[in-house]
């Protein structure tokens, strides 16, 4: 609507104003629901693996670089500050599947574009 120069039309202006109001109301409601959801995890930190609707930076690093998991972050407080956690060079199940020469996935290229006859 806004691309076709119809902004001078009173009906279009009314519809756009209603849509903007609805959008603001939905965002406000979702914001309060998200606050409640985060508060259910921890009253101050919230869900430490999420920042809004995305993974938090902490969550990103845990997912990509860490091999240490716990049901609660506070469990790490039970270990010594001198303790060092090191990862092993263990393959994940999907890596094992792709590395297996007998796997049906080794013959396919998901990025190739094949024409369907």
């Amino acid at each position: 609507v806004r691309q076709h120069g119809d902004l001078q039309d009173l009906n279009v202006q009314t519809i756009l104003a209603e849509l903007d109001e609805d959008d603001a109301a939905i965002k406000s409601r979702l914001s309060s629901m998200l606050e409640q959801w985060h508060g259910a995890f921890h009253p101050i930190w919230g869900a430490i693996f999420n920042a809004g609707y995305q993974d938090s930076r902490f969550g990103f690093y845990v997912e990509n670089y860490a091999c240490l998991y716990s049901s609660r972050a506070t469990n790490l407080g039970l270990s010594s500050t001198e303790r060092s956690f090191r990862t092993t060079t263990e393959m994940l199940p999907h890596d094992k599947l792709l590395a297996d020469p007998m796997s049906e996935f080794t013959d396919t290229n998901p990025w190739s574009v094949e024409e369907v006859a």
Side-chain angles (χ1 to χ4, degrees), residues 86-101:
R86 303 205 185 274
T87 61
T88 61
T89 57
E90 180 179 319
M91 291 180 78
L92 297 174
H94 63 274
D95 294 328
K96 290 177 185 175
L97 182 63
L98 292 173
D100 182 6

Side-chain angles (χ1 to χ4, degrees), residues 25-103:
I26 291 169
K27 285 180 181 176
S28 174
R29 178 69 178 128
L30 287 175
S31 178
S32 68
M33 291 171 70
L34 184 62
E35 241 179 75
Q36 290 175 349
W37 183 79
H38 275 286
F41 288 93
H42 190 275
I44 297 171
W45 301 329
I48 61 175
F49 287 96
N50 299 100
Y53 297 104
Q54 299 176 342
D55 290 343
S56 67
R57 185 169 296 221
F58 175 74
F60 170 80
Y61 283 113
V62 168
E63 181 180 346
N64 290 297
Y65 299 105
C67 202
L68 180 67
Y69 297 97
S70 177
S71 60
R72 298 176 148 238
T74 53
N75 289 344
L76 296 175
L78 302 174
S79 64
S80 168
T81 56
E82 301 297 316
R83 170 92 165 108
S84 166
F85 297 99
R86 303 205 185 274
T87 61
T88 61
T89 57
E90 180 179 319
M91 291 180 78
L92 297 174
H94 63 274
D95 294 328
K96 290 177 185 175
L97 182 63
L98 292 173
D100 182 6
M102 299 303 291
S103 170

Side-chain angles (χ1 to χ4, degrees), residues 3-19:
Q3 294 177 352
H4 298 292
D6 295 333
L7 289 176
Q8 304 305 323
D9 186 353
L10 186 59
N11 290 333
V12 171
Q13 289 178 357
T14 304
I15 291 170
L16 289 175
E18 290 173 359
L19 288 173

